[in-house]
Amino acid sequence: MKKIILTLLMGSIMLVGIAQNTRPKAPDNAVLVINYAGSSLTKNVPLSRINSYEFIKNKLWGELGLDSVSSIEQTGIDFEKDLVQYAVMEDSSNSFVTILPLKNETAFLNLVQKEKELLTENSGAYKTATLASNKYLGWTPKMAVFVYTSHKAPHYDYRVERESEEMDS
C-alpha cells in the first residue's frame, strides 16, 4: 500500500512540475510583468463579445502592430491560456515582450503575413523573423513571442574611463 501511495504522490508532483513549466514566464530582471489569465477572461466574457467591441480589438491589434480587421477568434491565438507581457530595461536597451499561446500556428502566421512578408530563420526548435528594425517575432507551434526593443547610447561613457586609465599609466 505504501508503494502505491508513494507512486501516486510522485506522479502528481511530476504533473504539477510539468504544468508549471508550460506556463510562459517573465525573466527575473523584468521591471513590469502583466499576466492575463485567459481561462478566467474567456469564462466570464466570450471571445465573440470581445470581438464585437471595436475599441478593444483595435487596441489589441494596434499594440501588436497587426491587421485590425481580422476576427479575434480566427487569429490562431489561444485566449483560453495565459498571455504574458513584460518589460526589461538594461543599460542601453529597453524591451517590451508579449508572449502569446497559439491554438493554430497557420492562422497566426497568416495574420502576421497580412502586414509583412516574413523572412523566417529556423533556429532549431523555433523560428524567428524580423518584422521591423525594432520589432521581432519568434514562434513554435504552441507559442509566439513579440519583442519590441529600442537601443540608445549607454548611460556611462566608457571612453572617459579608458582615457583616464591611459593617462595614469
Side-chain angles (χ1 to χ4, degrees), residues 6-51:
L6 186 61
T7 304
L8 288 173
L9 180 65
M10 292 303 290
S12 62
I13 289 172
M14 286 178 48
L15 287 174
V16 168
I18 291 169
Q20 288 178 351
N21 286 333
T22 60
R23 206 172 146 240
K25 296 179 180 115
D28 291 338
N29 64 341
V31 295
L32 170 74
V33 178
I34 304 168
N35 184 36
Y36 303 95
S39 60
S40 297
L41 175 68
T42 55
K43 183 172 76 174
N44 296 324
V45 182
L47 280 180
S48 58
R49 182 173 206 99
I50 294 171
N51 200 41

Side-chain angles (χ1 to χ4, degrees), residues 95-107:
S95 300
F96 188 73
V97 179
T98 302
I99 303 174
L100 302 168
L102 296 181
K103 188 185 311 186
N104 183 333
E105 178 186 11
T106 306

Side-chain angles (χ1 to χ4, degrees), residues 14-168:
M14 286 178 48
L15 287 174
V16 168
I18 291 169
Q20 288 178 351
N21 286 333
T22 60
R23 206 172 146 240
K25 296 179 180 115
D28 291 338
N29 64 341
V31 295
L32 170 74
V33 178
I34 304 168
N35 184 36
Y36 303 95
S39 60
S40 297
L41 175 68
T42 55
K43 183 172 76 174
N44 296 324
V45 182
L47 280 180
S48 58
R49 182 173 206 99
I50 294 171
N51 200 41
S52 69
Y53 299 127
E54 288 296 317
F55 68 95
I56 293 176
K57 188 170 77 167
N58 292 339
K59 182 68 174 167
L60 173 66
W61 297 148
E63 290 293 324
L64 296 177
L66 299 174
D67 176 25
S68 63
V69 297
S70 295
S71 168
I72 288 177
E73 297 161 321
Q74 298 172 345
T75 59
I77 299 170
D78 190 352
F79 287 97
E80 294 179 3
K81 293 185 179 169
D82 289 356
L83 287 76
V84 176
Q85 291 183 311
Y86 63 88
V88 177
M89 297 176 148
E90 297 293 331
D91 184 36
S92 61
S93 69
N94 296 327
S95 300
F96 188 73
V97 179
T98 302
I99 303 174
L100 302 168
L102 296 181
K103 188 185 311 186
N104 183 333
E105 178 186 11
T106 306
F108 177 74
L109 292 177
N110 287 338
L111 174 71
V112 174
Q113 288 176 344
K114 284 182 184 178
E115 296 297 314
K116 181 177 180 169
E117 185 64 33
L118 292 180
L119 298 173
T120 62
E121 294 179 31
N122 215 349
S123 302
Y126 60 93
K127 296 177 184 169
T128 61
T130 301
L131 303 175
S133 63
N134 64 343
K135 187 162 73 170
Y136 307 93
L137 171 65
W139 73 95
T140 67
K142 301 239 181 239
M143 188 175 298
V145 179
F146 280 98
V147 178
Y148 303 92
T149 190
S150 63
H151 300 280
K152 59 186 177 206
H155 294 295
Y156 184 76
D157 189 1
Y158 296 101
R159 291 175 301 149
V160 173
E161 185 177 300
R162 257 189 262 133
E163 289 172 3
S164 66
E165 286 175 0
E166 289 172 2
M167 290 178 158
D168 290 341

